[in-house]
Amino acid sequence: MSNGDLRVVDVPQPAPEATEVLVATRRSLLSAGTERAVRELASASLLRKARARPDLVRQVLHKARTGGVRSTITAVRSRLDEDMPLGYSAAGVVVAAGVASDGLRPGMRVATASAGHAEYQVVPGLLAVPVPEAVSDQAAAFGAVAAIALQGLRQADVGVGGSVAVVGLGLVGQLAVRLAQAAGLTVIGVDLRDWTAELAAENGAVGLVEAGAATTERIMEITRGHGVDATLITAATSSSEPISRSALISRDRARLVVVGDVGLDLDRRQFYERELDLRFARSYGPGRYDRSYEEWGVDYPVGHVRWTARRNIEAYLDLVASGRIAVDDLVTHVFPVDAAAAAYDVLASDSRALAVQLSYDAPAQSSRQPVTVAPRRGTSSPRAGLIGAGNYARATFLPALTSSGWADHLAAITSAKGLSARHLAERNGIGLVLPTAEDLLGRDEIDTVFVLSRHDSHADLVVRALDAGKHVYVEKPLALTQQELDDVRSAYHRNTGHLFVGFNRRYAPMVAQARLALAAGSGPLTITYRINAGRLPAAHWYHDRRQGGRIRGEVCHFIDLVSWLVGAQPEAVHAVGVGRGEAGLEEDVSVLLGYPDGSTATISYCTGGHERTPKERLEILGRGHTVSIDDFRRLDIDGREARRVAAGKGHHEMLAHVRATLAQDSGDEAALEASIGATSAALAVVAALTGAGSARLPAQPEPGEHGLAQLSPY
């Protein structure tokens, strides 16, 4: 919750994808440092949150400059209101395994990483590790947290007989001490608390309570005056003192490995004079935060990367199974999941709470039961269901859907993991949260489906929804390949449902006013459309080739708008890219479209512009007029600003149009024909970039059944 409150909620059982497994949890481990920090930040004031994440403040300011203050405030409030699942280390029983989750099958006990505290969790196959028979669920639940400690130890790179200090003896620190002991190292544990130092000593380490110079002197005695070979910093504090102290107890050219969240205000002299090596350990090990590893199930060859995230968890489980380390004594509290709030209260109030676990008893079987949220709406016809509950749905689409008259028509929602769907259902009065899209499409009372899921699912869901007898609204892109587009067209022709595509810009008030001005004249148009798209982080889902890239996913928007203004579909497409990126997935591209009446449109889609430059500028010359639209916030016609025309990109107006059209039980064939034409043109851009640089689209044939022109492949 945005105020840091904790709650246990019911969500539908999720369904695993091809590289995932569904696990019925038996135990999960609360990571005291991480989860306490998350809750403290969630409950902090807005000012404190801003101080803690200045990077996000910069993003907000940039969005306000380029997208407007009102939309930015809406987006920020939406993000702050988002529910955040807690937890990432657990153990359970496999209920179902995706077809590409090698070696995993129902009934297997596994230790899991990255999934939250839940009765059922969907986990990447490479982060679900089989548990040896000799290892209890209680010990297996430590797997992910132990892998964090083990990855820190591997970064320390200390051989047998070497020495290592562990600074910070919380849960991760205690595990690091035991793993280092099992590796044959001389281990010194340092903490501000006497009882944690004593616990480390009980397990074979030298346990020291931090006392400044006296502690340093003792460590020098133990290491024959050299200092330790490596220090693992497993403390959690905003202070930089743990690193400063670690430098003083380390030998010349020693390695300092930061595992915990500590301050990094460093004294260069300390590191320079002894050429200390400062390293960071990233989570469970190689593979963590790597999409190809976690989402696609592509493992690293063992000959190249010996210790991945999965293999670190395996190593921990093997050590427990062989009796070389034990962890059961670290568990101080166990609560049933229904009492999770009490578990977190213990973390906050009991200074000696170390490893706190949650227990579960849900059956290891699949379930397709929906979750009912107190219904307020969704009783009026048409009754709508939503597939997808991501950032766009939350921050942009649902507010527009509600404001355009759909509030009383929203009956059900589903999403991949369920929690985001539950959140949106509560906030928008949606009565049912369903496990899967299949469950939503199978409900007879739902006659209209909004598809807001990832791009690679759009065409398939449209076909399935039309075949299920539904009216369909799908966000762009309509399809990622020509075959998908053909399949959509075929499904539309063999069914009676209406189809709408989310090309919202054509419905923007400024575009409507521009079309009205241009309608008075005749002749071709010359259109120039410049988009300052900005660079995306390397981990952004647009970089996942399965999602089709930015040309199919966003440039289609701009192709649609210029074609809508011309009033026809392009017959020729030329494209030039900068040659950066995978073929078909380029991000910087110039597109020239030619139309039957002689009109031309140039679209310049660029990611390298300055962040202060507004995202979109559209100029239209012809038919006796000059029209410009600046970022859908200012409209000029023949040199005069049209001040009375509302700003906005047309989301509200588009959804109001869809509602009015369905109320009359009629489709909008012209709009759908334009949407299919824009999709074909976007695919032609990709073909031009990967081929000869240009493509010619066929002339529009006569309309067929359903009134929709049959477009043949380009």
Side-chain angles (χ1 to χ4, degrees):
M1 299 289 287
S2 59
N3 59 2
D5 288 345
L6 183 141
R7 60 180 185 148
V8 178
V9 299
D10 288 328
V11 298
Q13 186 185 89
E17 299 291 338
T19 61
E20 297 175 327
V21 293
L22 174 65
V23 176
T25 311
R26 291 295 171 256
R27 286 290 184 96
S28 64
L29 177 68
L30 276 62
S31 177
T34 300
E35 298 186 45
R36 184 185 293 119
V38 169
R39 290 199 67 198
E40 287 177 353
L41 182 59
S43 60
S45 66
L46 193 57
L47 178 60
R48 185 182 160 199
K49 288 174 180 173
R51 287 173 174 169
R53 293 296 305 272
D55 57 322
L56 296 182
V57 173
R58 288 191 291 271
Q59 291 180 26
V60 169
L61 293 176
H62 170 63
K63 182 174 178 60
R65 285 192 296 265
T66 58
V69 174
R70 180 176 297 178
S71 64
T72 301
I73 291 174
T74 300
V76 169
R77 285 176 174 169
S78 174
R79 179 58 64 91
L80 290 175
D81 189 46
E82 184 179 358
D83 286 332
M84 178 180 292
L86 296 170
Y88 60 85
S89 190
V93 179
V94 174
V95 176
V99 294
S101 56
D102 292 341
L104 298 172
R105 60 184 183 277
M108 292 181 68
R109 294 171 60 236
V110 291
T112 63
S114 80
H117 302 301
E119 288 182 321
Y120 297 97
Q121 48 180 304
V122 164
V123 189
L126 288 176
L127 295 179
V129 183
V131 177
E133 186 176 348
V135 180
S136 67
D137 291 338
Q138 177 169 277
F142 282 83
V145 177
I148 293 171
L150 185 53
Q151 178 62 14
L153 188 60
R154 297 199 190 285
Q155 288 289 81
D157 194 19
V158 181
V160 174
S163 59
V164 60
V166 179
V167 176
L169 295 175
L171 180 56
V172 175
Q174 296 290 343
L175 289 168
V177 164
R178 299 179 187 205
L179 290 165
Q181 285 283 118
L185 306 181
T186 297
V187 185
I188 303 168
V190 182
D191 201 275
L192 296 173
R193 300 163 292 182
D194 55 3
W195 70 272
T196 56
E198 291 170 1
L199 182 58
E202 291 170 4
N203 284 272
V206 176
L208 300 177
V209 177
E210 170 58 25
T215 302
T216 303
E217 182 177 348
R218 176 65 178 131
I219 292 173
M220 291 302 168
E221 290 177 3
I222 297 169
T223 60
R224 298 182 176 89
H226 301 305
V228 294
D229 296 311
T231 302
L232 270 60
I233 303 163
T234 54
T237 174
S238 59
S239 170
S240 301
E241 187 65 17
I243 291 186
S244 297
R245 289 290 295 128
S246 297
L248 294 176
I249 63 176
S250 299
R251 67 161 169 83
D252 188 66
R253 292 179 173 84
R255 286 168 292 280
L256 278 63
V257 182
V258 178
V259 180
D261 185 6
V262 296
L264 293 173
D265 185 9
L266 308 180
D267 180 354
R268 177 182 180 276
R269 178 183 52 83
Q270 286 183 315
F271 287 81
Y272 173 78
E273 290 180 351
R274 281 182 291 157
E275 203 171 5
L276 298 176
D277 184 354
L278 182 64
R279 301 181 178 184
F280 290 81
R282 185 172 68 178
S283 194
Y284 328 130
R288 182 59 171 144
Y289 308 121
D290 181 343
R291 177 179 288 119
S292 65
Y293 185 90
E294 294 189 350
E295 295 184 21
W296 303 350
V298 180
D299 200 357
Y300 303 148
V302 68
H304 293 272
V305 184
R306 177 62 184 93
W307 296 111
T308 60
R310 179 188 183 87
R311 293 194 273 270
N312 275 337
I313 299 173
E314 286 176 340
Y316 158 76
L317 293 172
D318 288 343
L319 287 169
V320 175
S322 65
R324 295 174 66 186
I325 68 170
V327 295
D328 288 341
D329 64 304
L330 295 175
V331 179
T332 56
H333 302 78
V334 179
F335 294 87
V337 65
D338 291 340
Y344 281 90
D345 288 342
V346 164
L347 277 186
S349 61
D350 187 343
S351 61
R352 288 182 175 252
L354 199 57
V356 178
Q357 291 195 349
L358 300 177
S359 62
Y360 307 78
D361 58 6
Q365 60 189 36
S366 297
S367 170
R368 303 290 287 274
Q369 292 299 313
V371 171
T372 301
V373 178
R376 300 194 308 271
R377 300 167 180 166
T379 58
S380 302
S381 183
R383 292 184 177 87
L386 285 77
I387 300 175
N391 291 336
Y392 174 76
R394 181 178 62 251
T396 302
F397 192 83
L398 267 165
L401 199 63
T402 301
S403 69
S404 59
W406 282 93
D408 292 330
H409 302 272
L410 305 180
I413 186 170
T414 185
S415 67
K417 298 299 186 285
L419 182 61
S420 57
R422 165 84 191 213
H423 178 82
L424 290 187
E426 291 178 338
R427 297 300 186 273
N428 295 275
I430 301 173
L432 286 177
V433 181
L434 298 170
T436 67
E438 181 180 353
D439 295 303
L440 189 146
L441 296 178
R443 298 191 74 93
D444 293 338
E445 72 271 23
I446 294 174
D447 50 40
T448 303
V449 174
F450 291 93
V451 178
L452 312 172
S453 51
R454 287 287 177 92
H455 291 178
D456 63 339
S457 66
H458 285 189
D460 176 64
L461 288 171
V462 168
V463 170
R464 289 162 58 191
L466 288 171
D467 285 343
K470 315 296 186 185
H471 304 305
V472 183
Y473 170 99
V474 58
E475 262 304 313
K476 55 79 191 166
L478 175 59
L480 297 181
T481 67
Q482 188 63 46
Q483 183 60 58
E484 287 186 351
L485 188 58
D486 292 342
D487 291 343
V488 168
R489 187 186 301 113
S490 296
Y492 181 73
H493 286 307
R494 66 175 175 260
N495 293 291
T496 59
H498 302 304
L499 176 60
F500 306 86
V501 185
F503 288 120
N504 51 279
R505 281 167 174 77
R506 65 169 76 147
Y507 297 99
M510 290 182 179
V511 171
Q513 190 67 29
R515 288 193 77 190
L516 186 63
L518 295 169
S522 61
L525 297 176
T526 299
I527 302 176
T528 303
Y529 203 160
R530 187 271 298 150
I531 300 96
N532 181 33
R535 297 196 186 280
L536 296 175
H540 195 281
W541 60 266
Y542 254 133
H543 294 310
D544 180 348
R545 66 176 63 88
R546 296 174 299 179
Q547 306 308 321
R550 298 177 83 173
I551 295 172
R552 295 177 179 91
E554 188 174 27
V555 173
C556 63
H557 248 322
F558 314 121
I559 293 173
D560 175 76
L561 180 52
V562 297
S563 299
W564 189 255
L565 289 165
V566 171
Q569 294 305 307
E571 61 180 6
V573 175
H574 306 271
V576 178
V578 299
R580 184 173 61 243
E582 187 177 336
L585 299 179
E586 291 197 48
E587 295 195 342
D588 291 83
V589 62
S590 295
V591 178
L592 175 62
L593 304 174
Y595 294 85
D597 69 347
S599 293
T600 61
T602 302
I603 299 171
S604 298
Y605 186 86
C606 176
T607 66
H610 193 277
E611 63 177 16
R612 291 182 180 271
T613 304
K615 181 177 179 180
E616 300 176 41
R617 177 172 174 79
L618 177 66
E619 292 185 348
I620 311 155
L621 286 78
R623 300 176 187 171
H625 295 285
T626 298
V627 178
S628 65
I629 299 176
D630 281 307
D631 223 19
F632 293 90
R633 290 189 283 176
R634 175 180 174 130
L635 169 67
D636 288 276
I637 300 177
D638 300 332
R640 295 182 179 180
E641 182 180 358
R643 297 181 178 273
R644 295 185 178 181
V645 181
K649 294 182 179 179
H651 296 96
H652 168 91
E653 292 78 9
M654 170 188 62
L655 293 170
H657 169 75
V658 171
R659 180 170 175 265
T661 302
L662 290 179
Q664 300 171 6
D665 194 25
S666 63
D668 189 338
E669 306 301 337
L672 180 55
E673 183 177 338
S675 297
I676 290 181
T679 304
S680 289
L683 295 175
V685 170
V686 174
L689 289 172
T690 56
S694 63
R696 182 163 293 276
L697 299 177
Q700 302 296 313
E702 293 299 320
E705 185 187 355
H706 236 323
L708 177 64
Q710 297 277 345
L711 299 178
S712 59
Y714 55 82

